[in-house]
PDB file of all heavy atoms in Angstrom:
ATOM      1  N   ASP W   1       3.054 -10.132   7.243  1.00 89.00           N
ATOM      2  CA  ASP W   1       3.563  -9.576   5.997  1.00 89.00           C
ATOM      3  C   ASP W   1       4.695  -8.608   6.379  1.00 89.00           C
ATOM      4  O   ASP W   1       4.467  -7.505   6.887  1.00 89.00           O
ATOM      5  CB  ASP W   1       2.456  -8.837   5.249  1.00 89.00           C
ATOM      6  CG  ASP W   1       2.881  -8.425   3.843  1.00 89.00           C
ATOM      7  OD1 ASP W   1       3.962  -7.781   3.737  1.00 89.00           O
ATOM      8  OD2 ASP W   1       2.143  -8.684   2.888  1.00 89.00           O
ATOM      9  N   GLU W   2       5.927  -8.992   6.107  1.00 89.00           N
ATOM     10  CA  GLU W   2       7.099  -8.223   6.566  1.00 89.00           C
ATOM     11  C   GLU W   2       7.096  -6.811   5.981  1.00 89.00           C
ATOM     12  O   GLU W   2       7.400  -5.881   6.664  1.00 89.00           O
ATOM     13  CB  GLU W   2       8.402  -8.957   6.189  1.00 89.00           C
ATOM     14  CG  GLU W   2       9.652  -8.345   6.763  1.00 89.00           C
ATOM     15  CD  GLU W   2      10.868  -9.204   6.599  1.00 89.00           C
ATOM     16  OE1 GLU W   2      10.712 -10.330   6.072  1.00 89.00           O
ATOM     17  OE2 GLU W   2      11.959  -8.756   6.967  1.00 89.00           O
ATOM     18  N   HIS W   3       6.737  -6.705   4.736  1.00 82.00           N
ATOM     19  CA  HIS W   3       6.730  -5.402   4.087  1.00 82.00           C
ATOM     20  C   HIS W   3       5.730  -4.455   4.739  1.00 82.00           C
ATOM     21  O   HIS W   3       6.036  -3.288   5.005  1.00 82.00           O
ATOM     22  CB  HIS W   3       6.409  -5.555   2.600  1.00 82.00           C
ATOM     23  CG  HIS W   3       6.151  -4.258   1.920  1.00 82.00           C
ATOM     24  ND1 HIS W   3       7.148  -3.306   1.642  1.00 82.00           N
ATOM     25  CD2 HIS W   3       4.985  -3.683   1.419  1.00 82.00           C
ATOM     26  CE1 HIS W   3       6.619  -2.282   1.049  1.00 82.00           C
ATOM     27  NE2 HIS W   3       5.305  -2.464   0.890  1.00 82.00           N
ATOM     28  N   HIS W   4       4.552  -4.930   5.027  1.00 84.00           N
ATOM     29  CA  HIS W   4       3.529  -4.096   5.617  1.00 84.00           C
ATOM     30  C   HIS W   4       3.788  -3.767   7.091  1.00 84.00           C
ATOM     31  O   HIS W   4       3.520  -2.671   7.559  1.00 84.00           O
ATOM     32  CB  HIS W   4       2.146  -4.704   5.449  1.00 84.00           C
ATOM     33  CG  HIS W   4       1.608  -4.608   4.073  1.00 84.00           C
ATOM     34  ND1 HIS W   4       1.448  -5.724   3.226  1.00 84.00           N
ATOM     35  CD2 HIS W   4       1.194  -3.567   3.351  1.00 84.00           C
ATOM     36  CE1 HIS W   4       0.971  -5.337   2.069  1.00 84.00           C
ATOM     37  NE2 HIS W   4       0.813  -4.011   2.105  1.00 84.00           N
ATOM     38  N   ILE W   5       4.355  -4.728   7.805  1.00 91.00           N
ATOM     39  CA  ILE W   5       4.737  -4.424   9.215  1.00 91.00           C
ATOM     40  C   ILE W   5       5.859  -3.396   9.230  1.00 91.00           C
ATOM     41  O   ILE W   5       5.921  -2.523  10.103  1.00 91.00           O
ATOM     42  CB  ILE W   5       5.146  -5.701   9.938  1.00 91.00           C
ATOM     43  CG1 ILE W   5       3.966  -6.681  10.045  1.00 91.00           C
ATOM     44  CG2 ILE W   5       5.675  -5.386  11.334  1.00 91.00           C
ATOM     45  CD1 ILE W   5       2.787  -6.118  10.785  1.00 91.00           C
ATOM     46  N   ASP W   6       6.752  -3.445   8.239  1.00 87.00           N
ATOM     47  CA  ASP W   6       7.794  -2.422   8.076  1.00 87.00           C
ATOM     48  C   ASP W   6       7.127  -1.043   7.921  1.00 87.00           C
ATOM     49  O   ASP W   6       7.577  -0.040   8.510  1.00 87.00           O
ATOM     50  CB  ASP W   6       8.672  -2.769   6.875  1.00 87.00           C
ATOM     51  CG  ASP W   6       9.734  -1.712   6.635  1.00 87.00           C
ATOM     52  OD1 ASP W   6       9.452  -0.697   5.988  1.00 87.00           O
ATOM     53  OD2 ASP W   6      10.872  -1.911   7.123  1.00 87.00           O
ATOM     54  N   GLN W   7       6.057  -0.978   7.135  1.00 82.00           N
ATOM     55  CA  GLN W   7       5.303   0.297   6.946  1.00 82.00           C
ATOM     56  C   GLN W   7       4.798   0.806   8.290  1.00 82.00           C
ATOM     57  O   GLN W   7       4.865   2.010   8.555  1.00 82.00           O
ATOM     58  CB  GLN W   7       4.114   0.070   6.019  1.00 82.00           C
ATOM     59  CG  GLN W   7       4.436   0.078   4.525  1.00 82.00           C
ATOM     60  CD  GLN W   7       3.185  -0.027   3.694  1.00 82.00           C
ATOM     61  OE1 GLN W   7       2.736  -1.101   3.353  1.00 82.00           O
ATOM     62  NE2 GLN W   7       2.624   1.120   3.387  1.00 82.00           N
ATOM     63  N   VAL W   8       4.234  -0.080   9.109  1.00 89.00           N
ATOM     64  CA  VAL W   8       3.672   0.342  10.394  1.00 89.00           C
ATOM     65  C   VAL W   8       4.813   0.919  11.286  1.00 89.00           C
ATOM     66  O   VAL W   8       4.661   1.988  11.860  1.00 89.00           O
ATOM     67  CB  VAL W   8       3.006  -0.843  11.104  1.00 89.00           C
ATOM     68  CG1 VAL W   8       2.530  -0.422  12.489  1.00 89.00           C
ATOM     69  CG2 VAL W   8       1.817  -1.347  10.279  1.00 89.00           C
ATOM     70  N   LEU W   9       5.932   0.177  11.365  1.00 91.00           N
ATOM     71  CA  LEU W   9       7.060   0.637  12.187  1.00 91.00           C
ATOM     72  C   LEU W   9       7.620   1.986  11.722  1.00 91.00           C
ATOM     73  O   LEU W   9       7.842   2.891  12.528  1.00 91.00           O
ATOM     74  CB  LEU W   9       8.131  -0.422  12.239  1.00 91.00           C
ATOM     75  CG  LEU W   9       7.860  -1.653  13.123  1.00 91.00           C
ATOM     76  CD1 LEU W   9       8.869  -2.742  12.811  1.00 91.00           C
ATOM     77  CD2 LEU W   9       7.924  -1.264  14.571  1.00 91.00           C
ATOM     78  N   VAL W  10       7.820   2.095  10.427  1.00 84.00           N
ATOM     79  CA  VAL W  10       8.315   3.380   9.866  1.00 84.00           C
ATOM     80  C   VAL W  10       7.401   4.486  10.180  1.00 84.00           C
ATOM     81  O   VAL W  10       7.817   5.588  10.556  1.00 84.00           O
ATOM     82  CB  VAL W  10       8.593   3.219   8.347  1.00 84.00           C
ATOM     83  CG1 VAL W  10       8.855   4.593   7.736  1.00 84.00           C
ATOM     84  CG2 VAL W  10       9.760   2.248   8.081  1.00 84.00           C
ATOM     85  N   ASN W  11       6.100   4.249  10.055  1.00 84.00           N
ATOM     86  CA  ASN W  11       5.137   5.315  10.320  1.00 84.00           C
ATOM     87  C   ASN W  11       5.182   5.761  11.771  1.00 84.00           C
ATOM     88  O   ASN W  11       5.157   6.966  12.074  1.00 84.00           O
ATOM     89  CB  ASN W  11       3.725   4.830   9.943  1.00 84.00           C
ATOM     90  CG  ASN W  11       2.698   5.890  10.205  1.00 84.00           C
ATOM     91  OD1 ASN W  11       2.031   5.883  11.234  1.00 84.00           O
ATOM     92  ND2 ASN W  11       2.556   6.812   9.282  1.00 84.00           N
ATOM     93  N   LEU W  12       5.229   4.784  12.711  1.00 91.00           N
ATOM     94  CA  LEU W  12       5.237   5.132  14.135  1.00 91.00           C
ATOM     95  C   LEU W  12       6.540   5.863  14.525  1.00 91.00           C
ATOM     96  O   LEU W  12       6.537   6.829  15.263  1.00 91.00           O
ATOM     97  CB  LEU W  12       5.064   3.875  14.993  1.00 91.00           C
ATOM     98  CG  LEU W  12       3.748   3.141  14.842  1.00 91.00           C
ATOM     99  CD1 LEU W  12       3.655   1.971  15.844  1.00 91.00           C
ATOM    100  CD2 LEU W  12       2.569   4.049  15.013  1.00 91.00           C
ATOM    101  N   VAL W  13       7.658   5.399  13.968  1.00 88.00           N
ATOM    102  CA  VAL W  13       8.913   6.106  14.229  1.00 88.00           C
ATOM    103  C   VAL W  13       8.947   7.500  13.654  1.00 88.00           C
ATOM    104  O   VAL W  13       9.372   8.469  14.276  1.00 88.00           O
ATOM    105  CB  VAL W  13      10.135   5.262  13.724  1.00 88.00           C
ATOM    106  CG1 VAL W  13      11.406   6.058  13.846  1.00 88.00           C
ATOM    107  CG2 VAL W  13      10.246   3.941  14.514  1.00 88.00           C
ATOM    108  N   ASN W  14       8.477   7.609  12.403  1.00 83.00           N
ATOM    109  CA  ASN W  14       8.422   8.921  11.777  1.00 83.00           C
ATOM    110  C   ASN W  14       7.521   9.893  12.529  1.00 83.00           C
ATOM    111  O   ASN W  14       7.862  11.089  12.652  1.00 83.00           O
ATOM    112  CB  ASN W  14       7.918   8.799  10.330  1.00 83.00           C
ATOM    113  CG  ASN W  14       8.951   8.251   9.382  1.00 83.00           C
ATOM    114  OD1 ASN W  14      10.153   8.207   9.728  1.00 83.00           O
ATOM    115  ND2 ASN W  14       8.542   7.848   8.209  1.00 83.00           N
ATOM    116  N   ASN W  15       6.402   9.397  13.043  1.00 85.00           N
ATOM    117  CA  ASN W  15       5.527  10.253  13.833  1.00 85.00           C
ATOM    118  C   ASN W  15       6.227  10.714  15.122  1.00 85.00           C
ATOM    119  O   ASN W  15       6.069  11.859  15.579  1.00 85.00           O
ATOM    120  CB  ASN W  15       4.238   9.530  14.205  1.00 85.00           C
ATOM    121  CG  ASN W  15       3.245   9.523  13.037  1.00 85.00           C
ATOM    122  OD1 ASN W  15       3.449  10.223  12.040  1.00 85.00           O
ATOM    123  ND2 ASN W  15       2.206   8.722  13.128  1.00 85.00           N
ATOM    124  N   ALA W  16       6.998   9.807  15.750  1.00 87.00           N
ATOM    125  CA  ALA W  16       7.725  10.167  16.966  1.00 87.00           C
ATOM    126  C   ALA W  16       8.715  11.288  16.655  1.00 87.00           C
ATOM    127  O   ALA W  16       8.912  12.264  17.439  1.00 87.00           O
ATOM    128  CB  ALA W  16       8.410   8.937  17.553  1.00 87.00           C
ATOM    129  N   VAL W  17       9.376  11.182  15.517  1.00 84.00           N
ATOM    130  CA  VAL W  17      10.357  12.197  15.122  1.00 84.00           C
ATOM    131  C   VAL W  17       9.645  13.511  14.766  1.00 84.00           C
ATOM    132  O   VAL W  17      10.082  14.605  15.129  1.00 84.00           O
ATOM    133  CB  VAL W  17      11.173  11.721  13.915  1.00 84.00           C
ATOM    134  CG1 VAL W  17      12.091  12.831  13.350  1.00 84.00           C
ATOM    135  CG2 VAL W  17      12.046  10.511  14.305  1.00 84.00           C
ATOM    136  N   LYS W  18       8.519  13.379  14.049  1.00 81.00           N
ATOM    137  CA  LYS W  18       7.872  14.555  13.506  1.00 81.00           C
ATOM    138  C   LYS W  18       7.104  15.372  14.551  1.00 81.00           C
ATOM    139  O   LYS W  18       7.167  16.581  14.602  1.00 81.00           O
ATOM    140  CB  LYS W  18       6.887  14.069  12.409  1.00 81.00           C
ATOM    141  CG  LYS W  18       6.193  15.212  11.652  1.00 81.00           C
ATOM    142  CD  LYS W  18       5.094  14.644  10.761  1.00 81.00           C
ATOM    143  CE  LYS W  18       5.586  13.636   9.793  1.00 81.00           C
ATOM    144  NZ  LYS W  18       4.527  13.118   8.883  1.00 81.00           N
ATOM    145  N   TYR W  19       6.317  14.660  15.422  1.00 78.00           N
ATOM    146  CA  TYR W  19       5.418  15.356  16.308  1.00 78.00           C
ATOM    147  C   TYR W  19       5.977  15.540  17.721  1.00 78.00           C
ATOM    148  O   TYR W  19       5.478  16.411  18.447  1.00 78.00           O
ATOM    149  CB  TYR W  19       4.121  14.639  16.406  1.00 78.00           C
ATOM    150  CG  TYR W  19       3.338  14.659  15.085  1.00 78.00           C
ATOM    151  CD1 TYR W  19       3.259  13.521  14.287  1.00 78.00           C
ATOM    152  CD2 TYR W  19       2.726  15.837  14.654  1.00 78.00           C
ATOM    153  CE1 TYR W  19       2.589  13.529  13.089  1.00 78.00           C
ATOM    154  CE2 TYR W  19       2.034  15.841  13.457  1.00 78.00           C
ATOM    155  CZ  TYR W  19       1.962  14.716  12.642  1.00 78.00           C
ATOM    156  OH  TYR W  19       1.300  14.733  11.455  1.00 78.00           O
ATOM    157  N   ALA W  20       6.929  14.740  18.138  1.00 75.00           N
ATOM    158  CA  ALA W  20       7.497  14.854  19.483  1.00 75.00           C
ATOM    159  C   ALA W  20       8.623  15.840  19.484  1.00 75.00           C
ATOM    160  O   ALA W  20       9.799  15.516  19.589  1.00 75.00           O
ATOM    161  CB  ALA W  20       7.923  13.476  20.004  1.00 75.00           C
ATOM    162  N   HIS W  21       8.309  17.133  19.361  1.00 72.00           N
ATOM    163  CA  HIS W  21       9.340  18.147  19.256  1.00 72.00           C
ATOM    164  C   HIS W  21      10.172  18.177  20.527  1.00 72.00           C
ATOM    165  O   HIS W  21       9.688  18.178  21.634  1.00 72.00           O
ATOM    166  CB  HIS W  21       8.665  19.541  19.053  1.00 72.00           C
ATOM    167  CG  HIS W  21       7.615  19.542  17.982  1.00 72.00           C
ATOM    168  ND1 HIS W  21       7.908  19.232  16.706  1.00 72.00           N
ATOM    169  CD2 HIS W  21       6.284  19.788  18.040  1.00 72.00           C
ATOM    170  CE1 HIS W  21       6.802  19.313  15.953  1.00 72.00           C
ATOM    171  NE2 HIS W  21       5.808  19.658  16.774  1.00 72.00           N
ATOM    172  N   GLY W  22      11.489  18.249  20.362  1.00 71.00           N
ATOM    173  CA  GLY W  22      12.406  18.303  21.489  1.00 71.00           C
ATOM    174  C   GLY W  22      12.710  16.969  22.119  1.00 71.00           C
ATOM    175  O   GLY W  22      13.467  16.926  23.108  1.00 71.00           O
ATOM    176  N   SER W  23      12.108  15.895  21.610  1.00 74.00           N
ATOM    177  CA  SER W  23      12.414  14.549  22.154  1.00 74.00           C
ATOM    178  C   SER W  23      13.418  13.874  21.241  1.00 74.00           C
ATOM    179  O   SER W  23      13.125  13.488  20.133  1.00 74.00           O
ATOM    180  CB  SER W  23      11.096  13.706  22.189  1.00 74.00           C
ATOM    181  OG  SER W  23      11.416  12.397  22.560  1.00 74.00           O
ATOM    182  N   PHE W  24      14.686  13.793  21.741  1.00 83.00           N
ATOM    183  CA  PHE W  24      15.758  13.218  20.923  1.00 83.00           C
ATOM    184  C   PHE W  24      15.938  11.747  21.160  1.00 83.00           C
ATOM    185  O   PHE W  24      16.737  11.101  20.519  1.00 83.00           O
ATOM    186  CB  PHE W  24      17.047  13.995  21.164  1.00 83.00           C
ATOM    187  CG  PHE W  24      16.909  15.472  20.845  1.00 83.00           C
ATOM    188  CD1 PHE W  24      16.820  16.398  21.845  1.00 83.00           C
ATOM    189  CD2 PHE W  24      16.900  15.896  19.531  1.00 83.00           C
ATOM    190  CE1 PHE W  24      16.669  17.738  21.560  1.00 83.00           C
ATOM    191  CE2 PHE W  24      16.717  17.227  19.210  1.00 83.00           C
ATOM    192  CZ  PHE W  24      16.639  18.177  20.251  1.00 83.00           C
ATOM    193  N   LYS W  25      15.237  11.214  22.150  1.00 88.00           N
ATOM    194  CA  LYS W  25      15.351   9.758  22.416  1.00 88.00           C
ATOM    195  C   LYS W  25      14.039   9.112  22.115  1.00 88.00           C
ATOM    196  O   LYS W  25      12.975   9.530  22.540  1.00 88.00           O
ATOM    197  CB  LYS W  25      15.704   9.538  23.919  1.00 88.00           C
ATOM    198  CG  LYS W  25      15.952   8.058  24.243  1.00 88.00           C
ATOM    199  CD  LYS W  25      16.471   7.869  25.616  1.00 88.00           C
ATOM    200  CE  LYS W  25      15.367   8.079  26.648  1.00 88.00           C
ATOM    201  NZ  LYS W  25      15.820   7.693  28.000  1.00 88.00           N
ATOM    202  N   ILE W  26      14.098   8.044  21.353  1.00 90.00           N
ATOM    203  CA  ILE W  26      12.924   7.231  20.981  1.00 90.00           C
ATOM    204  C   ILE W  26      13.249   5.791  21.387  1.00 90.00           C
ATOM    205  O   ILE W  26      14.245   5.228  21.000  1.00 90.00           O
ATOM    206  CB  ILE W  26      12.622   7.305  19.490  1.00 90.00           C
ATOM    207  CG1 ILE W  26      12.297   8.754  19.105  1.00 90.00           C
ATOM    208  CG2 ILE W  26      11.467   6.403  19.100  1.00 90.00           C
ATOM    209  CD1 ILE W  26      12.178   8.962  17.607  1.00 90.00           C
ATOM    210  N   THR W  27      12.332   5.191  22.154  1.00 92.00           N
ATOM    211  CA  THR W  27      12.517   3.825  22.632  1.00 92.00           C
ATOM    212  C   THR W  27      11.600   2.869  21.944  1.00 92.00           C
ATOM    213  O   THR W  27      10.362   3.119  21.909  1.00 92.00           O
ATOM    214  CB  THR W  27      12.294   3.730  24.181  1.00 92.00           C
ATOM    215  OG1 THR W  27      13.209   4.620  24.841  1.00 92.00           O
ATOM    216  CG2 THR W  27      12.464   2.333  24.688  1.00 92.00           C
ATOM    217  N   LEU W  28      12.147   1.785  21.370  1.00 93.00           N
ATOM    218  CA  LEU W  28      11.327   0.755  20.767  1.00 93.00           C
ATOM    219  C   LEU W  28      11.423  -0.489  21.653  1.00 93.00           C
ATOM    220  O   LEU W  28      12.530  -0.885  22.037  1.00 93.00           O
ATOM    221  CB  LEU W  28      11.817   0.416  19.364  1.00 93.00           C
ATOM    222  CG  LEU W  28      11.559   1.497  18.284  1.00 93.00           C
ATOM    223  CD1 LEU W  28      12.776   2.402  18.203  1.00 93.00           C
ATOM    224  CD2 LEU W  28      11.236   0.885  16.951  1.00 93.00           C
ATOM    225  N   ARG W  29      10.257  -1.086  21.966  1.00 95.00           N
ATOM    226  CA  ARG W  29      10.235  -2.154  22.933  1.00 95.00           C
ATOM    227  C   ARG W  29       9.479  -3.356  22.317  1.00 95.00           C
ATOM    228  O   ARG W  29       8.434  -3.191  21.710  1.00 95.00           O
ATOM    229  CB  ARG W  29       9.561  -1.698  24.199  1.00 95.00           C
ATOM    230  CG  ARG W  29       9.623  -2.714  25.347  1.00 95.00           C
ATOM    231  CD  ARG W  29       9.064  -2.095  26.647  1.00 95.00           C
ATOM    232  NE  ARG W  29       9.893  -0.973  27.096  1.00 95.00           N
ATOM    233  CZ  ARG W  29       9.561   0.295  26.949  1.00 95.00           C
ATOM    234  NH1 ARG W  29       8.427   0.634  26.349  1.00 95.00           N
ATOM    235  NH2 ARG W  29      10.352   1.250  27.398  1.00 95.00           N
TER     236      ARG W  29
END
């Protein structure tokens, strides 16, 4: 389900931005 997988990815990226203070690089693999 493309819409729901989009939700998962957005959540994981948002968490990386929100909780990883001082980390300006995020790698998706």
Side-chain angles (χ1 to χ4, degrees):
D1 188 310
E2 188 170 356
H3 170 70
H4 285 111
I5 297 301
D6 179 275
Q7 279 184 271
V8 175
L9 284 167
V10 168
N11 181 263
L12 297 185
V13 172
N14 284 346
N15 281 349
V17 173
K18 185 189 303 182
Y19 293 106
H21 312 299
S23 173
F24 300 105
K25 184 173 74 171
I26 299 173
T27 301
L28 290 93
R29 188 173 296 104

